[in-house]
Amino acid sequence: MAAKAFDTEIAETAETLMGPWRQPRQMLQAQTYDAHASIHDDATAQKLGFKGGTIEGPTHFSQFAPLGERLWGRAWFETGSLSAHYRSVCYEGEEVQAILSKPLPGTSQCQIQMVKRDGTEVLRGTASAGDAPVATALETRLGELKPLTDPVILRDVKVAQTGKRQPVRMALDQSMGDLYPFSLRQKLAVITESSPYYSGADNPWGKPIIPMEMLSVLFQYRSKDDPLPAKGPAVGLFADQEIRLVKGPLFVDEEYEVEREVVALSGSRRTESAWVKTRVFDSAGAMVATMLLNMATLKDSYAPYEDEYRQLYGAGR
């Protein structure tokens, strides 16, 4: 018989499941891309108006795993999905709590939320297991987007642009490169919700599985080898993210292939956003997972933004 998935203390009411207050760890201080530091570096983040280096969004996904497992059991690891809009950044030392509103009878999707002690909302979205007949939070959000106008940083990026397939693998002690300067073993030492399923074979599948937050690392691991033709250097952050298991779980030290497609471009006063859908395939060619990621690039982090905007569009923004 497999070990218990989690020992997390969960508060339950008729309507909700609530995890304990946790302090996620910041592990991306040394992250670099485009030969410069990222939003997770204190100095870079402070130049852009943040208090310090921010915790990467998918780090928060781990706090929802015990809630999903409590609600759906094994199906959570095989067909679970989290679809989240990141509402505010979180810094190391801050406490956050994951809240899941139970689905209505006969449905398989529910609302999720993460909050800080002062009530600040870190993220909101949906969770599900299996084939949910209704749109996820980000599917709904995509349908409401206004197309990006007057692009500067993303002017050469096109919707439906597809990258080449890339092999990816995550071994326990494997360095995940400049984007993720830590190993799975190092992550498991500080992950907010530990599980024997992540480090050994004492689970229903007989081999260690990759936590959902680390699926983001696996899927992005080689993105710099086939980058979008965005202008830079510029600093980006995850604004929206959905990870969906189709034929899960995904296993440690197993070979997969990923393929990325730009599915939408959007913008705001401060950002230009590329929405990228990553499809993940196993060695037999079956699709086992997908990820939808909105990488929002901060306009103010691209030094020649104003000059190039005037050259392209004839006036200041």
Side-chain angles (χ1 to χ4, degrees), residues 82-128:
L82 286 174
S83 185
H85 171 50
Y86 297 120
R87 302 272 294 168
S88 63
V89 299
C90 184
Y91 304 101
E92 185 158 305
E94 290 186 310
E95 289 187 300
V96 291
Q97 182 182 46
I99 304 168
L100 181 151
S101 298
K102 294 179 182 178
L104 296 173
T107 66
S108 59
Q109 182 166 282
C110 54
Q111 301 297 309
I112 60 168
Q113 183 186 39
M114 175 165 281
V115 296
K116 300 182 184 181
R117 283 283 189 181
D118 65 1
T120 301
E121 190 175 52
V122 176
L123 65 82
R124 69 168 62 172
T126 56
S128 63

Side-chain angles (χ1 to χ4, degrees), residues 11-263:
E12 183 169 2
T13 70
E15 294 82 25
T16 62
L17 297 175
M18 294 176 289
W21 292 98
R22 299 294 198 201
Q23 294 182 346
R25 293 285 298 275
Q26 217 286 73
M27 298 189 71
L28 295 182
Q29 298 94 332
Q31 183 188 62
T32 59
Y33 59 92
D34 289 346
H36 65 86
S38 75
I39 195 71
H40 309 291
D41 166 70
D42 284 341
T44 301
Q46 288 165 0
K47 287 179 184 177
L48 294 167
F50 298 93
K51 287 196 307 182
T54 62
I55 291 174
E56 189 189 35
T59 302
H60 300 305
F61 281 16
S62 282
Q63 284 181 247
F64 290 98
L67 309 184
E69 193 272 338
R70 170 72 66 87
L71 196 59
W72 292 296
R74 176 172 174 168
W76 168 252
F77 298 102
E78 297 179 335
T79 59
S81 169
L82 286 174
S83 185
H85 171 50
Y86 297 120
R87 302 272 294 168
S88 63
V89 299
C90 184
Y91 304 101
E92 185 158 305
E94 290 186 310
E95 289 187 300
V96 291
Q97 182 182 46
I99 304 168
L100 181 151
S101 298
K102 294 179 182 178
L104 296 173
T107 66
S108 59
Q109 182 166 282
C110 54
Q111 301 297 309
I112 60 168
Q113 183 186 39
M114 175 165 281
V115 296
K116 300 182 184 181
R117 283 283 189 181
D118 65 1
T120 301
E121 190 175 52
V122 176
L123 65 82
R124 69 168 62 172
T126 56
S128 63
D131 294 325
V134 296
T136 65
L138 294 196
E139 287 172 341
T140 299
R141 190 166 165 77
L142 269 180
E144 299 170 347
L145 287 177
K146 293 181 179 179
L148 177 63
T149 58
D150 299 347
V152 175
I153 298 168
L154 300 180
R155 62 182 181 265
D156 295 327
V157 179
K158 307 300 180 186
V159 174
Q161 190 170 332
T162 303
K164 61 185 178 182
R165 283 203 185 187
Q166 298 172 310
V168 294
R169 178 192 296 264
M170 180 181 289
L172 188 61
D173 291 304
Q174 175 184 347
S175 170
M176 300 308 292
D178 291 342
L179 284 178
Y180 299 99
F182 56 86
S183 67
L184 175 58
R185 188 189 298 276
Q186 290 171 317
K187 167 60 73 172
L188 294 181
V190 299
I191 197 168
T192 53
E193 312 301 328
S194 62
S195 171
Y197 287 15
Y198 300 153
S199 54
D202 193 11
N203 63 44
W205 308 277
K207 48 189 173 180
I209 68 174
I210 300 174
M212 187 173 280
E213 73 162 280
M214 288 298 285
L215 293 180
S216 177
V217 174
L218 178 67
F219 301 165
Q220 288 288 100
Y221 170 47
R222 295 195 57 200
S223 58
K224 63 182 178 57
D225 297 334
D226 186 28
L228 294 176
K231 302 301 177 183
V235 176
L237 51 82
F238 290 6
D240 301 88
Q241 188 171 23
E242 174 181 300
I243 294 178
R244 182 194 296 265
L245 292 163
V246 179
K247 189 182 177 183
L250 274 67
F251 299 105
V252 176
D253 205 22
E254 192 152 311
E255 188 89 9
Y256 298 96
E257 287 190 333
V258 298
E259 182 180 88
R260 299 177 185 87
E261 178 187 3
V262 179
V263 295

Side-chain angles (χ1 to χ4, degrees), residues 260-279:
R260 299 177 185 87
E261 178 187 3
V262 179
V263 295
L265 298 172
S266 65
S268 70
R269 181 179 59 84
R270 294 189 63 194
T271 64
E272 294 186 7
S273 289
W275 293 70
V276 177
K277 182 75 168 284
T278 300
R279 298 176 178 87

Side-chain angles (χ1 to χ4, degrees), residues 306 308-317:
E306 295 293 346
E308 292 186 14
Y309 188 96
R310 282 191 289 270
Q311 291 171 13
L312 289 166
Y313 306 112
R317 60 184 170 112

